[in-house]
Amino acid sequence: MGLHKVIVITIIISFLSNTESTCLPFSCDTSNPDTIKLQFCNSSLLVDQRVDDLILRLNLDEKISQLGNTAPAIPRLNIPAYEWWSEALHGLSMEGLGVKFNGSIEAATQFPQIILTASTFDEHLWYHIAQAISREARAVYNAGELKGMTFWAPNVNILRDPRWGRAQETAGEDPMMVGKYAVAYVRGLQGDSFEGGKLKDGHLQASACCKHFAAQDLDYWNGHHRFTFDAQVTAQDMADSFQPPFKTCVEEGKATSLMCAYSRLNGVSNCANYDLLTTTARGQWGFHGYIVSDCDAIRVMRDSHGYTAEDAVAASLKAGMDVNCGSFVANYTRLALEKQKLQESDIDRALRNIFSIRMRLGLFNGDPKQLEYGDISPAEICSQEHQDLSLEAAKNGIVLLKNSAKLLPLSKIKTTSLAIIGPKANDSELLLGNYAGIPCKNVSLLQGFQGVVKNIGYHPGCNFVNCTSAAIDEAVDVAKKAQYVVLIMGLDQQVERENWDRVDLGLPGQQEILINAVAEAAVEPVILVLVSGGPIDISFAKNHPKIGGILWIGYPGEGGAAALAQILFGEHNPGGRLPVTWYPKDFIKVPMTDMNMRPNSSTGYPGRTYKFYKGPKVYEFGYGLSYTNYSYNIASVSHDKLYFINQTSSDKRSKHGSHIHNIAVSKFGSEVCNKAKISVKVVVRNKGKIGGKHPVLLFVRHSKVKDDEVPRKQLIGFKSVHLGAREKSKIKFIVSPCEHFSRANKHGISVIDEGKYYLVVGDKKYPVTVSI
Ligand SMILES: *[C@@H]1O[C@H](CO)[C@@H](O)[C@H](O)[C@H]1NC(C)=O
Ligand SMILES: *[C@@H]1O[C@H](CO)[C@@H](O)[C@H](O)[C@H]1NC(C)=O
Ligand SMILES: *[C@@H]1O[C@H](CO)[C@@H](O)[C@H](O)[C@H]1NC(C)=O
Ligand SMILES: *[C@@H]1O[C@H](CO)[C@@H](O)[C@H](O)[C@H]1NC(C)=O
Ligand SMILES: *[C@@H]1O[C@H](CO)[C@@H](O)[C@H](O)[C@H]1NC(C)=O
Ligand SMILES: *[C@@H]1O[C@H](CO)[C@@H](O)[C@H](O)[C@H]1NC(C)=O
Ligand SMILES: *[C@@H]1O[C@H](CO)[C@@H](O)[C@H](O)[C@H]1NC(C)=O
Ligand SMILES: *[C@@H]1O[C@H](CO)[C@@H](O)[C@H](O)[C@H]1NC(C)=O
Ligand SMILES: *[C@@H]1O[C@H](CO)[C@@H](O)[C@H](O)[C@H]1NC(C)=O
């Protein structure tokens, strides 16, 4: 009898939990006669028609209730609650309110932080990672443990200043490259094809959000806070540095969301900037989606930008913001209506964007499990395929900065003992970076060596990563006993993070002293491994004879330990290249608040990023070694003379400081620009005995960069190729002069300068003359 009872209970429990996990919140249940008749549930109609029908049915309270990130249910229409705020920067994240990993799904694949993924210069890899994230997210959603399919990633602000606490979240400093990253991520996440165009008006797998619009790349530095900061940006820098990633993200990626930033731009709160949100994004770029405020950004407008509550609400809704992360807008919308700062039509405008996205995500078509993406199962979460992809990204992103006397790779057979020194060498969480979720596995860098070398000594060396105190003698003792020493140094989330920019560019606290002492004492030259998002001035180590190898590993994600061990012991040939300039320590004399990209000779301001910065560098943008050498040859260039001559406009061409004439790209129109293409073929050869993946970077450089306004060089294409030992390959780049040879003038207008340019790849260059 007893046995029977147990069985019965078990069956009931499993039945209940089964029903629970398949019952997703969705609208328009086809088996419910009350809702199936509603026009907004009719999926044969256009989304716009359905949304109009839905909005007509809502009363004012219901409308207002939908303006925040946590949108409540509207029970009389069988519309469930919706949580807009989920994060997925480099894997499904616990930041945001969509998922807590506290149900049947306890983890999701954590890919490397973006700055390291960017170092692969591999668009296909970026796309595959976003696809994997999206499938894991849908699987969690299908299991009933994710409350929305809108993700507030990618972060597409350029890495303007090396001190930025969120450097780790970015794809580096080059606007073109960040734009390409955005496109790959958005297409992968939203369910589009790599080339784009597959989705058209189809059902989105997930929604991606390009943030923080615009020019917000200071969090908290020296008393300046993003809430109060007013970024002074010239029209010129706006046009060719700050805006391009957003433009590309919208125009090519077809992102379905933008996030307006906390800060002000030339005196105007970003979330109240009609020119930016409506005229530029929706009007000029054809943005089709919803605009969300950064969290509590509208309250911040009241508290820090001098608005009253009702004015902040009215200004943001009228400017084009749709969803307020927070409850401030919902709380004060009635007041704004009463004071006639706002009309109900402004709310309806926002609601159209809000409900369109929920419909485009397939959440108003009946049970999502019966629809496209309904069969993505939890078995995909933490799958071997996704684990392998995370490891591959880490391996291909890690940058070898120094390898004197070919210290690396170490021999697996001949290495009998290793000392690992570093305060977080045995902390697996260090490897994730910010905006992380729970990883599928926890493996620290120390643990990554444990299966490889028999005798491993370990000492933290410092109390914390900030190394306010170092245990030099103990660390030296451990180091002396080992054949090789690996120092795990750099930064962590205590030192660089959201809301916390660095104030200097050196290694924290006594790390440098510790490294020097250990290097002196060690038998062989030591290997220095740097964990960080932002760049670090490690000039002392670059020139130190007892520091034989230096690797930068970003925050390499849950596969980071295996990636590092495979590289150090020669199972993988490193090929990552830096996506950001590494500046010397004294760069900090430049205030972080100075947004100018271009140098100013009268003040000695050096400018920013490889495109404009004039000063000395620790490492260049694009720097990175490998265990082999590659040689380049520019095999052919289809045109080496370009005539941008237009009879009617040539007399209007303008002349500026350095006597270089230029002409506006718009003078030629898109037809001429589309036709004017240069085909460039580059042969790249692996000269060594070991195969590897190598990103080929193509730049263009004007022959006379006397003028501070003209970029010193600019990246115009990149491709990552795998080359076996002594193998060569021909790579084709299509160069579009209107796009690639242009820059913005003082008025923010895209112009082409006349004169001689060079196409540059590695140590090779090829001249191209532009006449106007
Ligand atoms: C849905 O809309 C289509 C197109 O207008 C119409 O033919 C069809 O009858 C509608 N279905 C329902 C259930 O109202
Ligand atoms: C998970 O956490 C959320 C938020 O804290 C809570 O609402 C939910 O009930 C939890 N779920 C489980 C299964 O514990
Ligand atoms: C909005 O009102 C709710 C309920 O009174 C309150 O808990 C919340 O803090 C308010 N939000 C803001 C941003 O003022
Ligand atoms: C490393 O961390 C793991 C897990 O926290 C722990 O079990 C192990 O003892 C640590 N190893 C050393 C050498 O401290
Ligand atoms: C990894 O660590 C996290 C955070 O400490 C923990 O929640 C999770 O259960 C661990 N995962 C495994 C597989 O041990
Ligand atoms: C150093 O870091 C630890 C923990 O990471 C923190 O508690 C401490 O306040 C930091 N000290 C300084 C001076 O930043
Ligand atoms: C350079 O700085 C000077 C002094 O602040 C200023 O007057 C000038 O306009 C600046 N030049 C440019 C090109 O921004
Ligand atoms: C690559 O070439 C440089 C310069 O000739 C040489 O110093 C270096 O040892 C080579 N590296 C490898 C891995 O062959
Ligand atoms: C030449 O310039 C004029 C005036 O700017 C413009 O209208 C015309 O379309 C241009 N012609 C070509 C071939 O680009």
Side-chain angles (χ1 to χ4, degrees):
M1 283 302 284
L3 191 64
H4 278 281
K5 263 186 196 156
V6 172
I7 290 168
V8 170
I9 289 165
T10 313
I11 289 168
I12 290 170
I13 290 171
S14 71
F15 173 72
L16 280 178
S17 62
N18 202 22
T19 330
E20 208 170 57
S21 70
T22 52
C23 174
L24 299 180
F26 61 86
S27 304
C28 305
D29 186 349
T30 47
S31 64
N32 180 341
D34 289 343
T35 59
I36 193 66
K37 296 192 298 279
L38 299 168
Q39 221 190 349
F40 70 77
C41 286
N42 186 342
S43 58
S44 324
L45 299 174
L46 295 172
V47 167
D48 288 350
Q49 291 174 286
R50 299 172 68 189
V51 168
D52 283 342
D53 174 71
L54 170 54
I55 292 170
L56 278 173
R57 293 172 196 273
L58 302 178
N59 64 39
L60 186 57
D61 281 335
E62 287 165 342
K63 287 182 180 180
I64 293 173
S65 75
Q66 298 298 306
L67 298 173
N69 62 293
T70 306
I74 305 171
R76 68 183 182 88
L77 296 171
N78 290 308
I79 296 173
Y82 186 79
E83 178 53 61
W84 288 89
W85 186 9
S86 291
E87 300 282 352
L89 181 68
H90 55 107
L92 192 59
S93 160
M94 262 186 313
E95 303 283 321
L97 302 175
V99 65
K100 288 292 159 216
F101 295 106
N102 59 352
S104 68
I105 291 152
E106 298 175 326
T109 307
Q110 301 299 308
F111 294 91
Q113 190 54 294
I114 308 312
I115 192 80
L116 191 77
T117 298
S119 312
T120 66
F121 286 82
D122 184 344
E123 291 172 86
H124 288 272
L125 180 70
W126 301 341
Y127 172 78
H128 290 312
I129 290 173
Q131 263 189 323
I133 294 171
S134 183
R135 290 191 73 87
E136 293 202 2
R138 262 287 166 180
V140 180
Y141 181 80
N142 288 340
E145 294 178 18
L146 176 58
K147 293 190 260 175
M149 283 303 295
T150 39
F151 298 94
W152 295 348
N155 181 341
V156 304
N157 296 118
I158 58 162
L159 179 40
R160 173 187 64 94
D161 191 292
R163 290 161 283 191
W164 193 21
R166 306 183 76 171
Q168 56 187 304
E169 298 177 34
T170 74
E173 70 187 14
D174 181 72
M176 183 277 261
M177 181 181 174
V178 175
K180 295 252 188 228
Y181 175 77
V183 171
Y185 177 94
V186 170
R187 286 178 181 166
L189 194 89
Q190 295 193 159
D192 207 340
S193 56
F194 176 76
E195 296 78 14
K198 179 191 137 198
L199 277 176
K200 293 198 184 74
D201 294 322
H203 178 174
L204 298 164
Q205 183 166 303
S207 161
C209 171
C210 287
K211 67 187 185 186
H212 311 80
F213 196 39
Q216 193 215 288
D217 50 28
L218 173 150
D219 266 54
Y220 180 64
W221 173 81
N222 204 17
H224 298 272
H225 195 276
R226 58 183 174 169
F227 289 178
T228 46
F229 183 52
D230 183 5
Q232 299 298 311
V233 181
T234 64
Q236 186 170 39
D237 289 341
M238 196 66 192
D240 64 10
S241 287
F242 296 104
Q243 266 189 4
F246 289 95
K247 182 169 190 275
T248 315
C249 185
V250 167
E251 289 184 340
E252 291 175 39
K254 307 285 178 209
T256 47
S257 177
L258 289 169
M259 177 184 283
C260 53
Y262 289 119
S263 53
R264 281 170 290 177
L265 175 62
N266 299 325
V268 183
S269 307
N270 276 295
C271 292
N273 193 331
Y274 182 89
D275 271 355
L276 202 59
L277 308 188
T278 298
T279 311
T280 304
R282 288 195 193 276
Q284 291 169 16
W285 303 343
F287 172 65
H288 181 44
Y290 75 98
I291 298 178
V292 62
S293 76
D294 206 335
C295 291
D296 261 339
I298 314 306
R299 182 181 57 73
V300 166
M301 283 167 60
R302 181 199 59 187
D303 296 347
S304 308
H305 301 178
Y307 284 86
T308 62
E310 61 275 16
D311 283 333
V313 167
S316 57
L317 284 168
K318 283 184 180 292
M321 182 214 65
D322 305 302
V323 176
N324 166 222
C325 178
S327 49
F328 189 83
V329 168
N331 286 5
Y332 290 103
T333 292
R334 272 216 177 259
L335 183 63
L337 288 168
E338 279 160 24
K339 295 204 166 179
Q340 298 187 348
K341 305 272 179 165
L342 191 70
Q343 286 70 47
E344 193 167 341
S345 58
D346 297 316
I347 302 173
D348 292 347
R349 184 207 57 73
L351 291 173
R352 263 183 220 109
N353 295 324
I354 286 175
F355 283 107
S356 295
I357 291 295
R358 287 175 67 175
M359 287 185 189
R360 288 165 69 192
L361 285 164
L363 309 181
F364 278 74
N365 294 351
D367 187 351
K369 300 239 335 182
Q370 308 301 320
L371 303 170
E372 195 182 2
Y373 317 124
D375 60 350
I376 301 178
S377 96
E380 294 199 28
I381 302 166
C382 297
S383 65
Q384 191 58 48
E385 192 190 333
H386 293 175
Q387 296 292 295
D388 291 348
L389 186 60
S390 183
L391 172 61
E392 186 194 341
K395 287 197 295 195
N396 290 331
I398 289 175
V399 183
L400 179 65
L401 296 172
K402 177 179 180 181
N403 192 14
S404 50
K406 295 195 181 159
L407 173 67
L408 296 172
L410 301 178
S411 156
K412 237 177 168 174
I413 302 158
K414 292 185 194 149
T415 305
T416 52
S417 67
L418 209 56
I420 309 292
I421 314 273
K424 283 201 170 171
N426 196 27
D427 181 340
S428 59
E429 206 186 327
L430 169 73
L431 307 182
L432 304 180
N434 71 357
Y435 282 87
I438 305 281
C440 311
K441 58 176 187 282
N442 296 316
V443 187
S444 69
L445 295 175
L446 172 64
Q447 289 165 333
F449 294 116
Q450 276 165 347
V452 186
V453 179
K454 235 201 276 148
N455 298 309
I456 297 184
Y458 162 62
H459 197 277
C462 298
N463 54 347
F464 304 111
V465 167
N466 59 21
C467 207
T468 48
S469 112
I472 292 173
D473 296 343
E474 292 91 327
V476 160
D477 280 346
V478 172
K480 272 182 178 162
K481 293 192 190 104
Q483 192 180 359
Y484 291 104
V485 179
V486 180
L487 287 137
I488 313 283
M489 296 286 143
L491 316 179
D492 72 351
Q493 302 299 313
Q494 293 292 320
V495 180
E496 55 170 356
R497 63 174 180 273
E498 183 164 358
N499 245 325
W500 193 258
D501 303 319
R502 281 181 294 162
V503 289
D504 62 62
L505 292 175
L507 283 166
Q510 299 183 41
Q511 283 195 27
E512 193 171 317
I513 298 168
L514 175 76
I515 295 166
N516 280 326
V518 168
E520 284 312 326
V523 184
E524 297 283 345
V526 302
I527 298 142
L528 174 61
V529 173
L530 298 167
V531 179
S532 76
I536 307 168
D537 180 355
I538 41 110
S539 306
F540 78 96
K542 234 176 126 171
N543 310 316
H544 196 307
K546 284 294 296 289
I547 299 177
I550 309 177
L551 295 111
W552 172 74
I553 68 166
Y555 294 106
E558 64 177 274
L564 180 63
Q566 288 187 24
I567 288 173
L568 290 190
F569 288 95
E571 278 173 50
H572 180 83
N573 184 6
R577 303 182 65 169
L578 297 176
V580 59
T581 304
W582 283 36
Y583 301 86
K585 283 177 186 166
D586 73 355
F587 184 81
I588 64 169
K589 66 178 189 280
V590 171
M592 196 174 169
T593 47
D594 192 326
M595 298 294 289
N596 283 298
M597 298 300 294
R598 283 148 161 106
N600 185 331
S601 349
S602 65
T603 59
Y605 180 76
R608 295 172 178 279
T609 77
Y610 79 91
K611 287 177 72 172
F612 302 107
Y613 173 66
K614 277 179 157 174
K617 295 162 192 163
V618 179
Y619 292 111
E620 297 247 358
F621 174 90
Y623 181 81
L625 307 171
S626 83
Y627 296 154
T628 183
N629 271 326
Y630 298 90
S631 67
Y632 305 103
N633 178 20
I634 301 178
S636 70
V637 174
S638 64
H639 303 79
D640 59 6
K641 289 191 174 57
L642 298 170
Y643 298 94
F644 282 92
I645 293 174
N646 181 331
Q647 293 299 334
T648 47
S649 59
S650 59
D651 50 339
K652 286 187 222 143
R653 64 193 189 169
S654 59
K655 211 173 174 185
H656 63 101
S658 61
H659 310 291
I660 302 173
H661 288 102
N662 66 67
I663 187 164
V665 173
S666 60
K667 290 265 191 278
F668 301 98
S670 54
E671 206 184 312
V672 173
C673 283
N674 287 340
K675 261 191 272 167
K677 295 280 158 74
I678 309 175
S679 161
V680 179
K681 289 182 184 145
V682 175
V683 175
V684 51
R685 196 164 71 90
N686 180 349
K687 297 198 292 180
K689 289 191 247 117
I690 165 170
K693 224 169 157 212
H694 180 66
V696 179
L697 273 48
L698 178 68
F699 294 90
V700 67
R701 171 163 74 76
H702 200 282
S703 63
K704 290 187 199 148
V705 200
K706 291 185 215 155
D707 189 323
D708 289 346
E709 283 189 57
V710 179
R712 306 175 70 75
K713 61 177 182 177
Q714 95 185 356
L715 183 67
I716 59 174
F718 55 87
K719 266 184 193 143
S720 176
V721 278
H722 187 278
L723 293 170
R726 310 220 181 273
E727 200 187 336
K728 67 179 180 187
S729 171
K730 192 183 270 183
I731 306 177
K732 188 170 149 187
F733 291 99
I734 299 294
V735 176
S736 165
C738 289
E739 183 188 344
H740 296 133
F741 284 52
S742 60
R743 60 166 179 99
N745 71 8
K746 281 239 180 332
H747 310 289
I749 292 164
S750 180
V751 297
I752 297 181
D753 295 295
E754 72 171 358
K756 192 174 176 190
Y757 288 78
Y758 293 107
L759 295 167
V760 180
V761 56
D763 55 349
K764 298 294 181 340
K765 63 182 185 182
Y766 195 100
V768 174
T769 314
V770 170
S771 309
I772 61 172

